Amino acid sequence: FYHTLPHLRHMFASLDQHSKGRNAAKRRDLVTLAIFFHDAIYQPTSSTNEEESAALFREFCLQTGGAVSESDAETVCLWIRRTAEHHSAPADGDLALFLDCDLAVLGEPYFKYARYAEGIRREYCHFDAATFADKRTEVLRKLLSIEKLFHTEEIASELDKTARANMELEIRQLSILIKNK
């Protein structure tokens, strides 16, 4: 499966790699909380994962007795909710870094990307192969249609070309399943 601890490890590694110099997270504490909680609730058949993850984070904040300010908690909740639609609006600063770390797997070398894609397939095992191929192709084509896949210039320049090549290759592989319906 993909939305598990290895995904969090990958995001934290991406944060470490890309949060430097002028691109350093201004509120690394908030980015860390957003990473940790953004997929805390993940059910492939649910359309409310982000909202439920944000609610879980809110509960965590209540349990900490004010260790996270109301303003900071609201910021993290907004970032968590934003992962439902990474590209619904422009993003900058720490939000952009967080969103890009979430999608950084798309630009990994293909052998790592293939593991990610297999994890996604396993999460959506409730679909037969052809239905999964149709739906996954639709998602990938939507991503490919986005002019700016990554919000930060540094991550875009490093990962965009490989991310697009990976998704194109996955679409070609999925097309075999679609043709064999």
Side-chain angles (χ1 to χ4, degrees):
F1 298 91
Y2 174 68
H3 290 94
T4 58
L5 290 176
H7 173 50
L8 294 182
R9 279 194 296 272
H10 183 267
M11 285 188 70
F12 283 120
S14 184
L15 177 64
D16 289 343
Q17 180 182 352
H18 296 106
S19 181
K20 297 176 183 171
R22 66 180 178 86
N23 296 313
K26 292 177 182 31
R27 292 295 310 269
R28 191 179 176 103
D29 56 334
L30 300 187
V31 177
T32 297
L33 288 167
I35 288 172
F36 188 77
F37 279 93
H38 83 286
D39 285 329
I41 307 292
Y42 191 83
Q43 295 296 322
T45 58
S46 175
S47 63
T48 60
N49 290 318
E50 294 80 10
E51 195 58 50
E52 290 178 46
S53 293
L56 181 65
F57 174 69
R58 277 282 184 197
E59 181 60 30
F60 167 80
C61 291
L62 291 173
Q63 297 297 320
T64 64
V68 180
S69 74
E70 178 60 32
S71 173
D72 288 348
E74 186 54 34
T75 296
V76 172
C77 284
L78 287 171
W79 292 355
I80 291 169
R81 288 185 196 103
R82 179 65 185 273
T83 62
E85 277 292 328
H86 286 77
H87 301 94
S88 60
D92 59 14
D94 290 350
L95 171 59
L97 180 61
F98 164 64
L99 293 172
D100 284 358
C101 288
D102 194 27
L103 293 183
V105 68
L106 299 176
E108 288 291 326
Y110 190 75
F111 74 95
K112 290 182 180 180
Y113 178 90
R115 280 198 308 255
Y116 146 77
E118 176 58 29
I120 296 295
R121 174 63 184 120
R122 290 179 65 204
E123 285 180 352
Y124 288 87
C125 63
H126 55 280
F127 290 123
D128 63 76
T131 302
F132 173 79
D134 277 337
K135 292 182 178 294
R136 179 72 177 155
T137 298
E138 185 179 314
V139 168
L140 294 170
R141 288 194 193 288
K142 181 178 176 186
L143 286 170
L144 286 167
S145 74
I146 297 167
E147 183 179 337
K148 214 175 157 198
L149 192 56
F150 297 99
H151 297 282
T152 61
E153 286 182 36
E154 177 189 318
I155 294 174
S157 66
E158 180 183 330
L159 301 179
D160 188 78
K161 185 177 179 180
T162 302
R164 291 178 187 283
N166 286 340
M167 290 186 287
E168 289 285 358
L169 180 53
E170 185 181 358
I171 288 170
R172 286 194 300 277
Q173 293 168 339
L174 291 167
S175 71
I176 295 167
L177 295 173
I178 294 169
K179 286 178 189 174
N180 293 329
K181 270 204 247 193

